[in-house]
């Protein structure tokens, strides 16, 4: 490996880092990446080899590939544009790498690698992506420096001190963090822009009781919730849509006029909700909503919808025991009369609460909960099929059946879709909502709207787990991907007005930045100490000479020291010159020197000698 | 002459306002700028925060590059010394002494009349570089400001520091070898006639010292007769008006150099100027400088040359 030059290593390394960025962002499959890495390894071994692929052939290949990709975009639309771009860049990267390379081509390879990294940033939310970014930030300066010094020969290369690159990297990262915080931006983020089409996962506003495919068990995190104010519960329901209109095929939303959101001031709890992996127009919140920020949403029937795209973060103020007594319906269509009648018989007599409890117990004990898809015939109501034939179903079947049975007792009820939040990440101090937590439950009107769970409770335990990686990812999403102009304003407000409520978040940002700054400072200190350590032998010798009465100006150059010694202490000149030669050769030259031993020897020589003649103490004569 | 970009402590307002560094992107640097502009455009268009992160890294890269290049060329102490003898049409040496007392410097390029690549400067060590320059005309020249630039560390930008200095250089006329029959001069003319010190005359043999050559007005010609037994006499070159001035000056320079090499005393006289006799380097330099700066020739006014010297009319 000794024959591999630093230029080859840096060039191939930079190119490989570009490929790695694409892989980390999910734009390039890992198998393809592995194949390309193998090609990189081959190129590294035979860096200077001239392959029989001439420039004309490369040109023809380039034109063919470009034509193919253009045709692909025309054929399949803009959805494949990103992938076509990826293919083109990777093709040019590999072509540039295997063709003969001069200095110009090496610059091009660096440029292509940076372009790959930039393309990868467009597509990624991955927490691993910064690894590729940092690798690029480390390798590109080294490669460019290597190319720049190639015109100056070996002497310029040997001059670089050992801590140089550590200082450079620390500086680049620290300044980049500062600039990232300060650069003003119009808005955020890739989530809003939707460059990568993200399939809606988990939550759906309407229930689909005829679903033939299995219910998703996708464990990807779709929402994170910070319970800012109030006592955080073990579990809670995050409501999305309230379905009050009952038809033969199940519950659906009630159409109604769009009005502004309610702005009731009384609240018991405040939450910040980050729907990082969810695309839906419903405003999701727990309990009874009092206030919401931002206010770009409107009420339609019992539901709240965003006016435009959902924001990446919003805050809600809620009341746990809110007095929601909006009217509901107990109407049941004729096709579901049997189910309602069954419910009425099971519920028996008593209060509404008691009736509902009996119905719930009945359902939970007589019916099986399953996530599998069901083949329900279209000619029959799915609720009736679940109650009288199937005997098993998912949460939507349970909730719909329970709601119909409650209505059979004359009690208004509705199905609510949303998420059952039961997982708390102790590392980050927030609730984690996964796609598989999508759920449906029932609300019935008993003075106010009460919530009741239809499915067997034992299947949904409360979870308190430590997920440090997810906490880190959340911070990455929150403070990098979703960092916006609003955050900058809040940050500025927190700086100039500590009473602003965002102080806590500002502290987090400042803490992160302070850590980076501290890291940079430590690096600089270490570098300074190492430099001092390198210069220490010479200073020790100067100190020993000073003790003998000859003070040499430390800021003066070495030759000035030698001249002073020659002038004031001629007997020491030879030894000092020999030491100086060794010292300079050892520190700045390419010779390995045992400077410590030579320094000790020189100091011993200085101590044993009588000192400079003109500064020697005169003997008194009596 | 030693110089720093801002010599002394008293800086005028214009100096304070004017950036002391030159800055220009290299070819890869221009591509870098274009790339940065494109990423900024796309970032503003899409609002993609990761693109802002890339922008932050690219800008940070530029900032670090600027800091490193500044540290590389800061505190440079540069001297420029021209060679004491520079002749027209001949390569003359200019010496540059560069030192950085604070830190090591790498990859510097000194640009002054030509380019000198300096791979590395060790901290505190004074290094000397030289550059050859050919001046096309004689006389007084002034070497102007000098620039040191560096593409360190990444070769994307060229940061330069200009040293405001003026170094005068006197370019002597190029020596023109003299040919026989050129001179019309009287041996022992004036008060310094030394004919009485001649013991005998013989034909010139190559290798004879120039001090022994006698200059004859008659048909003897240049270096065709050698005077032996001449004592401690010197030679005075008298420049007469008429003829090609440049050629005459070149021949005068040739003679002065030859006389100086032979160790004899010599002098020159033209117009109202007489240099006196001497054989030192300073004397020679003074004469050559006088010749370099000569504008026109008139009738020589001074005829009182030291006794015993040979007077050569040119």
């Amino acid at each position: 490996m000794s024959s591999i030059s630093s230029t080859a290593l840096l060039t191939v390394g930079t190119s490989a880092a570009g490929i790695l960025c694409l892989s980390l962002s999910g734009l390039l499959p890992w198998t393809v990446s592995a194949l390309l890495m193998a090609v990189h390894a081959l190129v590294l071994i035979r860096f200077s080899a001239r392959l029989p692929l001439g420039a004309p052939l490369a040109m023809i290949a380039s034109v063919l590939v470009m034509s193919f990709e253009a045709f692909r975009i025309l054929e399949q639309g803009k959805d494949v544009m990103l992938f076509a771009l990826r293919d083109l860049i990777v093709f040019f990267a590999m072509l540039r790498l295997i063709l003969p390379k001069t200095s110009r081509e090496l610059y091009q390879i660096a440029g292509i690698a940076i372009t790959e990294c930039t393309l990868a940033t467009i597509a990624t939310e991955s927490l691993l992506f910064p690894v590729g970014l940092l690798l690029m930030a480390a390798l590109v300066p080294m490669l460019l420096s290597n190319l720049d010094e190639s015109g100056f020969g070996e002497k310029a290369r040997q001059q670089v001190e050992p801590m140089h690159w550590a200082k450079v990297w620390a500086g680049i990262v620290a300044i980049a963090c500062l600039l990232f915080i300060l650069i003003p931006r119009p808005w955020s983020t890739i989530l809003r822009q939707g460059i990568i089409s993200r399939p809606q996962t988990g939550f759906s506003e309407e229930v689909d009781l005829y679903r033939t495919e299995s219910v998703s068990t996708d464990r990807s995190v779709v929402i994170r919730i910070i319970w800012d104010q109030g006592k955080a519960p073990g579990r809670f329901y995050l409501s999305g849509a309230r379905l009050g209109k009952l038809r033969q095929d199940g519950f659906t939303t009630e159409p109604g006029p769009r009005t502004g959101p309610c702005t009731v001031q009384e609240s018991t709890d405040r939450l910040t909700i980050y729907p990082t992996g969810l695309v839906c127009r419903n405003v999701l919140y727990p309990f009874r909503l009092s206030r919401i920020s931002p206010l770009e949403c409107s009420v339609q029937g019992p539901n709240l919808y965003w006016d435009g795209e959902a924001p990446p973060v919003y805050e809600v103020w809620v009341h746990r025991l809110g007095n929601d007594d909006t009217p509901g319906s107990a109407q049941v269509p004729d096709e579901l009369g049997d189910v309602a009648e069954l419910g009425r018989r099971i519920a028996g007599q008593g209060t509404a609460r008691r009736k509902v409890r009996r119905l719930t117990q009945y359902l939970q004990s007589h019916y099986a909960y399953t996530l599998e898809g069901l083949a329900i015939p279209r000619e029959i109501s799915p609720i009736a099929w679940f109650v009288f034939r199937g005997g098993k179903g998912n949460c939507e079947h349970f909730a719909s059946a329970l709601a119909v049975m409650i209505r059979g007792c004359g009690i208004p009820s509705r199905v609510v879709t949303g998420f059952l939040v039961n997982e708390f990440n102790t590392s980050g101090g927030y609730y984690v909502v996964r796609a598989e937590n999508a759920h449906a439950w029932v609300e019935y009107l008993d003075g106010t709207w009460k919530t009741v769970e239809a499915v067997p409770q034992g299947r949904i335990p409360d979870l308190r787990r430590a997920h440090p990686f997810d906490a880190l990812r959340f911070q990455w999403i929150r403070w990098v991907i979703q960092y916006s102009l609003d955050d900058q304003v809040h940050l500025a407000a927190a700086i100039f007005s500590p009473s602003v409520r965002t102080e806590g978040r500002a502290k987090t940002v400042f803490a992160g930045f302070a850590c980076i700054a501290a890291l940079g400072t430590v690096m600089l200190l270490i570098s300074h100490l190492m430099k001092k350590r390198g210069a220490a032998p010479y200073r020790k010798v100067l100190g020993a000479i000073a003790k003998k009465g000859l003070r040499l100006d430390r800021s003066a150059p070495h030759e000035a020291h030698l001249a002073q010694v020659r002038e004031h202490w001629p007997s020491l000149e030879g030894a000092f010159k020999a030491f100086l030669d060794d010292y300079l050769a050892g520190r700045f030259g390419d010779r390995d020197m045992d400077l410590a031993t030579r320094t000790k020897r020189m100091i011993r020589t200085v101590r044993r000698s009588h000192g400079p003649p003109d500064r020697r103490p005169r003997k008194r004569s009596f | 002459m030693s110089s720093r970009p801002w010599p002394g402590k008293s800086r005028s307002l214009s100096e304070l306002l004017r950036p002391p560094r030159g800055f220009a992107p290299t070819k890869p640097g221009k591509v870098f700028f274009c790339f940065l502009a494109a990423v900024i455009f796309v970032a503003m268009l899409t609002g993609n925060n990761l693109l802002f992160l890339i922008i932050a890294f690219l800008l940070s890269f530029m900032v670090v590059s600027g800091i490193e290049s500044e540290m590389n060329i800061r505190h440079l102490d540069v001297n420029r010394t021209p060679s004491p003898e520079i002749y027209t049409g001949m390569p003359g040496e200019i010496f540059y002494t560069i030192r950085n007392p604070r830190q090591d410097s790498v990859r510097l390029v000194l640009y002054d009349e030509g380019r000198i690549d300096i791979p590395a400067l060790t901290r505190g060590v004074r290094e000397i570089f030289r550059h050859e320059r050919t001046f096309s005309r004689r006389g007084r020249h002034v070497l102007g400001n000098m620039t040191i630039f560096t593409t360190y560390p990444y070769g994307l930008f060229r940061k330069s520091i200009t040293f405001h200095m003026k170094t005068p250089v006197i370019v002597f006329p190029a020596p023109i070898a003299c040919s026989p029959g050129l001179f019309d001069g009287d041996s022992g003319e004036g008060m310094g006639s030394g004919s009485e010190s001649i013991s005998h005359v013989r034909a010139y043999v190559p290798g004879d010292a120039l001090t022994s050559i006698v200059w004859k007005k008659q048909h003897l010609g240049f270096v065709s007769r050698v005077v032996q037994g001449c004592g401690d006499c010197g030679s005075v070159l008298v420049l007469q008006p008429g003829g090609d001035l440049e050629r005459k000056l070149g021949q005068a320079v040739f003679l002065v150099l030859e006389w100086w090499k032979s160790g004899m005393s010599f002098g020159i006289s033209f117009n109202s100027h007489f240099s006196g006799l001497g054989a030192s380097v300073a004397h020679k330099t003074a004469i050559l400088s006088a010749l370099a700066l000569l504008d026109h020739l008139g009738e020589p006014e001074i005829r009182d040359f030291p006794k015993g010297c040979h007077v050569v009319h040119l």
Side-chain angles (χ1 to χ4, degrees):
Chain A
M1 292 294 282
S2 60
S3 61
I4 295 172
S5 68
S6 59
T7 307
L9 202 60
L10 288 170
T11 307
V12 175
T14 307
S15 180
I19 298 290
L20 184 70
C21 282
L22 287 176
S23 302
L24 288 172
S25 69
L27 266 184
L28 205 61
W30 284 104
T31 47
V32 179
S33 299
L35 193 67
L36 295 177
M37 292 296 176
V39 176
H40 278 76
L42 283 176
V43 171
L44 182 63
I45 295 165
R46 304 287 304 275
F47 189 71
S48 307
R50 298 184 71 82
L51 294 179
L53 184 65
L57 202 56
M59 181 70 80
I60 292 168
S62 306
V63 170
L64 283 176
V65 171
M66 285 168 73
S67 309
F68 171 74
E69 294 299 344
F71 178 75
R72 193 175 153 203
I73 292 169
L74 286 174
E75 189 71 12
Q76 299 181 23
K78 66 175 185 178
D79 287 346
V80 296
M81 194 178 282
L82 200 68
F83 298 100
L85 261 175
R86 173 206 64 186
D87 293 347
L88 270 180
I89 291 175
V90 170
F91 169 75
F92 282 121
M94 300 313 293
L95 192 68
R96 197 73 281 174
L97 202 65
I98 60 175
L99 283 176
K101 294 165 277 293
T102 62
S103 173
R104 187 168 154 238
E105 275 75 44
L106 298 185
Y107 274 114
Q108 287 177 1
I109 288 171
I112 290 172
I114 295 172
T115 312
E116 284 170 339
C117 182
T118 309
L119 186 73
T121 60
I122 296 173
T124 189
E125 287 173 53
S126 167
L127 180 60
L128 286 174
F129 175 71
V131 176
L133 193 63
L134 289 176
L135 199 61
M136 290 293 294
L139 285 173
V140 168
M142 290 181 82
L143 175 62
L144 292 181
S145 182
N146 186 284
L147 293 176
D148 183 49
E149 74 189 1
S150 60
F152 285 86
E154 276 299 309
K155 196 179 174 190
R157 196 163 296 180
Q158 288 166 0
Q159 206 74 6
V160 177
E161 60 177 284
M163 288 297 290
H164 171 80
W165 286 113
K167 281 196 286 186
V168 167
W169 293 329
I172 286 179
V173 172
I175 296 171
C177 289
L178 182 63
L179 289 174
F180 180 77
I181 290 171
L182 295 180
I183 293 172
R185 60 209 70 198
W187 68 83
S188 66
T189 69
I190 53 176
L191 292 178
R192 200 179 272 200
Q193 194 62 22
I195 290 172
I196 300 292
S197 54
R198 204 184 317 274
Q200 185 169 336
T201 175
F203 175 76
S204 62
E205 183 180 13
E206 301 284 351
V207 294
D208 180 10
L209 299 176
Y210 285 112
R211 189 197 309 266
T212 53
E213 66 272 18
S214 299
V215 175
S216 168
T217 53
D218 183 3
R219 286 190 54 77
S220 59
V221 178
V222 289
I223 303 172
R224 293 175 180 85
I225 300 167
I226 295 177
W227 206 278
D228 291 317
Q229 190 183 313
K231 189 173 184 297
R235 71 164 67 184
F236 60 92
Y237 291 102
L238 194 67
S239 312
R242 286 163 179 82
L243 315 176
K245 187 179 181 186
L246 179 58
R247 295 187 312 199
Q248 182 194 354
D249 53 352
F251 282 86
T252 184
T253 50
E254 290 172 296
R258 289 178 79 94
T259 56
C262 55
T263 53
V264 181
Q265 293 302 315
E266 295 81 22
S267 63
T268 55
D269 302 86
R270 179 168 58 82
L271 298 82
T272 309
I273 299 174
Y274 302 89
T276 50
L278 189 71
V279 182
C280 76
R281 288 198 50 229
N282 293 77
V283 180
L284 294 135
Y285 57 90
F287 306 120
R288 308 293 170 218
L289 185 70
S290 297
R291 194 148 56 96
I292 186 166
S293 173
L295 277 167
E296 286 90 26
C297 52
S298 53
V299 174
Q300 191 171 7
N303 299 319
L304 195 58
Y305 297 94
W306 294 111
D307 290 338
E309 286 180 73
V313 56
Y314 60 93
E315 287 177 300
V316 289
W317 286 257
V318 295
H319 201 291
R320 292 199 192 204
L321 304 170
N323 187 23
D324 181 7
D325 54 358
T326 50
S329 168
Q331 175 263 331
V332 178
D334 295 342
E335 294 84 356
L336 292 169
D338 296 344
V339 178
E341 177 59 25
L342 177 65
R344 193 178 60 76
R345 280 195 282 115
I346 293 167
Q349 298 298 316
T351 60
R353 188 179 173 192
R354 186 161 293 178
K355 287 177 182 175
V356 170
R357 194 192 301 160
R358 284 194 201 110
L359 289 171
T360 308
Q361 283 170 351
Y362 174 78
L363 276 175
Q364 290 178 351
S365 57
H366 288 82
Y367 293 85
Y369 179 77
T370 180
L371 295 175
E372 290 169 4
L374 301 169
I376 302 174
R378 287 276 169 184
E379 61 272 12
I380 188 172
S381 165
I383 301 172
W385 182 88
F386 169 72
V387 174
F388 298 116
R389 291 195 198 174
K392 60 179 179 179
N394 57 38
C395 58
E396 292 179 351
H397 295 102
F398 272 88
S400 301
L402 179 60
V404 173
M405 287 177 172
I406 292 171
R407 285 193 178 195
C409 303
I411 304 167
S413 66
R414 62 193 181 192
V415 170
V416 186
T417 55
F419 292 90
L420 176 57
V421 185
N422 65 327
E423 185 177 351
F424 188 78
N425 185 354
T426 51
S427 303
Y430 60 88
Y431 289 95
V432 175
V433 183
R434 301 179 187 276
E436 66 175 5
N437 292 138
H439 194 48
W441 60 94
V442 177
E443 284 182 351
Y444 66 96
L445 190 62
D446 182 17
T448 58
W449 286 95
K450 303 282 191 317
T451 301
V452 59
E453 178 60 63
V455 299
Q457 292 284 314
R459 294 186 175 274
I460 312 164
D462 291 352
L463 301 169
R464 287 181 72 85
R465 290 175 181 164
H467 293 295
F469 192 74
D470 188 69
L472 206 60
R473 180 180 160 79
F474 179 41
Q475 294 301 325
W476 170 255
I477 290 174
R478 175 67 195 98
W479 291 111
V480 178
I481 292 177
Q482 293 186 344
Y483 184 71
S484 64
L485 188 63
D486 289 342
D487 291 316
Q488 290 179 313
V489 171
H490 283 308
L491 205 62
I495 291 168
F496 297 112
S497 171
S499 61
V500 171
R501 205 176 44 75
T502 51
E503 188 186 10
R505 284 179 222 163
K507 272 182 187 169
T508 312
V509 175
F510 280 132
F513 184 66
C515 284
I516 292 163
L519 189 70
T521 312
V522 167
M523 297 291 286
L524 285 176
L525 270 175
I526 292 171
S527 132
H528 184 64
L529 287 174
M530 285 189 72
K531 196 185 264 185
K532 278 182 106 175
R533 206 174 147 197
Y538 191 69
R539 286 218 305 274
K540 282 180 187 169
V541 171
L542 292 190
I545 293 173
K547 279 184 183 171
K548 286 288 182 179
L550 179 59
R551 293 198 174 276
L552 303 173
D553 180 11
R554 291 190 179 189
S555 63
H558 300 119
E559 60 261 38
H561 292 162
L562 186 61
Q564 276 183 280
V565 169
R566 187 183 298 126
E567 186 184 349
H568 299 291
W569 196 349
S571 61
L572 192 70
E573 185 195 347
F576 185 71
K577 189 172 185 312
F579 167 74
L580 197 56
D581 288 345
D582 288 346
Y583 169 72
L584 291 175
R587 187 163 180 223
F588 301 111
D590 53 357
R591 284 156 56 191
D592 290 329
M593 288 280 168
D594 184 7
L595 273 180
T597 311
R598 283 162 203 270
T599 307
K600 277 181 193 168
R601 203 183 301 156
M602 181 64 200
I603 291 171
R604 207 178 301 136
T605 308
V606 173
R607 282 179 185 162
R608 283 178 185 172
S609 60
H610 295 294
D614 51 347
R615 287 167 173 77
R616 215 173 283 164
R618 286 179 188 171
K619 287 179 183 173
R620 289 180 183 177
S621 56
F622 296 97
Chain B
M1 179 180 282
S2 172
S3 181
R4 287 174 183 274
W6 278 338
K9 287 184 179 175
S10 57
R11 296 172 187 171
S12 67
L13 185 64
S14 62
E15 279 176 333
L16 284 171
L17 291 175
R18 188 179 59 213
R21 303 283 184 267
F23 179 81
T26 60
K27 197 174 173 186
K30 284 175 188 167
V31 176
F32 179 83
F33 269 128
C34 292
F35 181 79
L36 178 62
V39 177
I40 288 174
F41 179 73
V42 175
M44 297 298 278
L45 213 62
T46 62
N48 187 331
N49 259 339
L50 287 175
L51 285 180
F52 280 100
L53 190 63
I54 292 274
I55 293 167
F57 265 97
L58 293 175
L59 291 176
S60 165
F61 183 59
M62 277 178 64
V63 170
V64 169
S65 169
I67 292 170
E68 279 206 89
S69 61
E70 179 61 26
M71 287 168 72
N72 197 38
I73 61 173
R74 205 175 171 84
H75 306 303
L76 283 178
D77 190 9
V78 181
N79 287 335
R80 177 172 59 192
T81 314
S83 169
E85 289 185 21
I86 296 177
Y87 298 94
T88 313
M90 297 164 72
E93 287 182 330
I94 298 168
F95 297 94
Y96 300 91
T97 312
I98 307 180
R99 175 174 161 261
N100 190 341
R102 300 282 181 89
Q103 66 250 327
D104 298 338
S105 291
V106 287
R107 291 183 241 159
L108 302 173
V109 175
L110 190 151
Y111 198 83
D112 179 44
E113 315 290 345
R115 178 189 167 112
I116 300 173
D117 287 351
I118 304 168
L121 284 179
T122 304
R123 182 175 69 94
V125 175
R126 196 179 292 279
E127 295 212 24
I128 298 173
F129 303 89
R130 73 182 183 89
H131 174 65
E132 284 189 348
R133 185 189 167 182
T134 305
F135 292 89
S136 58
R137 59 176 184 81
R138 69 180 171 85
R140 187 187 300 277
H141 293 258
V142 177
L143 300 179
N145 296 342
M146 187 171 55
T147 303
I148 287 182
F149 68 79
T150 182
T151 53
Y152 179 80
Y154 308 122
L156 299 178
F157 316 106
R158 210 179 78 161
K159 185 180 258 191
S160 61
I161 177 169
T162 301
F163 292 86
H164 299 282
M165 56 166 69
K166 285 185 167 48
T167 310
V169 180
I170 294 184
V171 179
F172 306 145
I176 299 172
C178 303
S179 56
L182 184 67
F183 301 99
D184 289 328
D186 293 327
S187 173
E189 189 177 275
M191 287 181 69
S193 170
S195 57
E196 64 274 12
S197 61
I198 298 173
S199 59
H200 72 277
V201 177
R202 63 166 174 78
Y204 172 77
V205 177
D208 283 334
L210 278 175
T211 47
S212 305
I213 298 173
V214 64
W215 309 99
K216 287 291 183 185
K217 186 180 179 183
Q218 294 86 351
H219 305 290
L220 296 176
F222 181 56
V223 296
S224 59
R225 293 290 181 270
V226 173
V227 178
Q228 288 189 322
C230 184
D232 206 14
C233 53
S235 299
V236 175
L237 180 66
V238 179
L239 296 181
Q240 302 282 1
D244 183 4
L245 175 64
E246 296 303 323
R247 182 173 181 76
K248 199 173 279 188
L249 289 174
Q251 289 168 343
V253 167
F254 176 79
L255 282 176
V256 166
L257 292 176
E258 289 298 319
W259 281 334
W260 179 75
K261 274 192 274 186
S262 67
M264 66 181 286
S265 296
F266 56 92
I268 192 166
S269 173
F270 55 85
N271 299 344
S272 61
H273 174 77
F274 174 53
S275 66
L277 287 176
S280 65
V281 175
H283 182 68
K284 176 193 70 171
T285 308
I287 290 176
L288 292 178
S289 300
L291 290 172
L293 301 174
L294 184 60
D295 286 337
H296 68 282
L297 274 176
E299 278 299 328
E301 296 172 8
I302 298 171
R303 301 275 175 184
D304 295 337
F305 301 125
K307 189 178 179 183
C309 68
H310 299 284
V311 180
V312 179
H313 291 273
L314 189 63

